Amino acid sequence: MKFSHAVIRKPGRNFSLGLTTRSLGIPDYELMLNQHDAYVQTLASLGLDITVLDPLPDYPDAYFVEDTAVVTPRVAVITRPGAESRQGEEDSIEPVLSRFRRTIRIQPPGTVDGGDVLMVGEHFFVGISKRTNQNGASQLGAILDRFGYSWTAIPVRTGLHLKSSLSLVSPDTLLITAALAEHEAFRDFHKIMLDQDEELAANTLWINQALVVPAGFPHTHSKLEKLGLRLIDLDMSEARKMDGGLSCMSLRF
Ligand code: CIR
């Protein structure tokens, strides 16, 4: 799919108060802003028309906009994030996406984080995780069915989200952890397996014939070089301290 737009939100000064399961140290705001700026510039250089939103002071995790929506070519599903401290972020995303798509909201008690949803053409893999519950996945699935898409639920046993452990790097190739590769839903894909000590490199962004990858994972980098795509390395050190990766910081469509 050719992407033409991205919605991104600038991290707020209080971003280090967001949720995290990592113990990688306190993130630095100036460095985060520099890395975020490089991220915005990279997506712009790949031909995306970028909307940059202001921080939401009451929501230190709000720059992880991916979790607030699932944008498909036919409909944008506004999620209900699974972490209580993030519920409400979606209210400010709906008016932005409604300029581009019809929007439909996930209703309580359902919860869905966009980080749990992988789009592969007309099919969606939906992780059931600590953030996306069965009810939310079923609501999302019913909307996808209604708009002519298919979907599969995948239990997420490790990592925050489904896309913490895999990403699509060509129409039929997944970059994936060993644990998830065994799931039979992925049997028909070519798989590039992540080394165990490079599993934090699982989350990449395949945009318009380029693959944006997190810097600092040499084995993964050389495996991905074989795809023949243009690889762009971005330093993600500060977002990583907050459990974030490349896909989390934008909605692409
Ligand atoms: C959180 O725990 O919700 C944020 N600190 C990180 C969210 C990362 N989002 C994503 O992977 N889609």
Side-chain angles (χ1 to χ4, degrees):
M1 164 166 170
K2 173 114 172 107
F3 293 106
S4 54
H5 288 84
V7 173
I8 299 179
R9 189 187 297 283
K10 200 175 158 190
R13 196 163 274 286
N14 63 353
F15 85 109
S16 64
L17 301 179
L19 302 169
T20 188
T21 59
R22 306 237 168 253
S23 320
L24 298 171
I26 310 257
D28 179 271
Y29 185 53
E30 291 308 317
L31 186 53
M32 179 70 208
L33 285 187
N34 289 340
Q35 293 179 353
H36 193 262
D37 200 42
Y39 181 86
V40 174
Q41 297 312 323
T42 299
L43 267 53
S45 76
L46 295 174
L48 302 191
D49 191 355
I50 314 263
T51 303
V52 182
L53 307 174
D54 288 333
L56 292 180
D58 293 339
Y59 295 95
D61 277 314
Y63 62 105
F64 293 123
V65 282
E66 174 177 61
D67 294 321
T68 61
V70 177
V71 187
T72 79
R74 299 172 202 146
V75 62
V77 180
I78 308 299
T79 66
R80 184 167 174 266
E84 238 175 85
S85 66
R86 301 195 59 188
Q87 287 174 3
E89 290 178 16
E90 69 282 11
D91 293 342
S92 69
I93 288 292
E94 183 165 22
V96 178
L97 292 179
S98 63
R99 287 187 230 143
F100 301 95
R101 297 281 190 282
R102 170 170 180 191
T103 60
I104 302 183
R105 291 182 78 126
I106 299 294
Q107 303 296 333
T111 60
V112 173
D113 272 16
D116 277 316
V117 183
L118 178 74
M119 177 173 77
V120 182
E122 305 257 303
H123 191 80
F124 290 75
F125 295 96
V126 181
I128 311 285
S129 69
K130 293 187 192 83
R131 298 291 179 86
T132 298
N133 64 19
Q134 189 66 57
N135 181 290
S138 301
Q139 288 185 46
L140 173 61
I143 298 166
L144 293 171
D145 283 339
R146 198 170 125 205
F147 284 84
Y149 299 112
S150 54
W151 67 289
T152 311
I154 308 283
V156 175
R157 301 208 166 86
T158 51
L160 184 62
H161 290 128
L162 177 66
K163 286 189 289 192
S164 309
S165 299
L166 88 177
S167 45
L168 188 71
V169 294
S170 88
D172 59 358
T173 308
L174 294 170
L175 175 66
I176 191 165
T177 61
L180 209 52
E182 287 173 14
H183 197 291
E184 77 127 31
F186 302 124
R187 68 179 177 277
D188 293 335
F189 286 89
H190 296 296
K191 297 182 193 81
I192 299 178
M193 306 294 292
L194 286 149
D195 291 7
Q196 211 173 354
D197 60 351
E198 292 202 1
E199 290 191 346
L200 286 174
N203 187 273
T204 66
L205 269 187
W206 179 40
I207 300 177
N208 303 345
Q209 298 313 309
L211 188 65
V212 189
V213 300
F217 299 95
H219 292 121
T220 308
H221 198 280
S222 59
K223 289 179 195 181
L224 291 171
E225 269 171 351
K226 300 188 180 105
L227 288 169
L229 289 169
R230 176 173 159 223
L231 293 187
I232 304 172
D233 283 84
L234 283 184
D235 191 349
M236 292 294 294
S237 66
E238 302 315 282
R240 187 177 304 126
K241 290 174 185 168
M242 302 311 298
D243 258 333
L246 286 158
S247 71
C248 330
M249 297 203 298
S250 58
L251 286 160
R252 303 146 307 272
F253 49 94

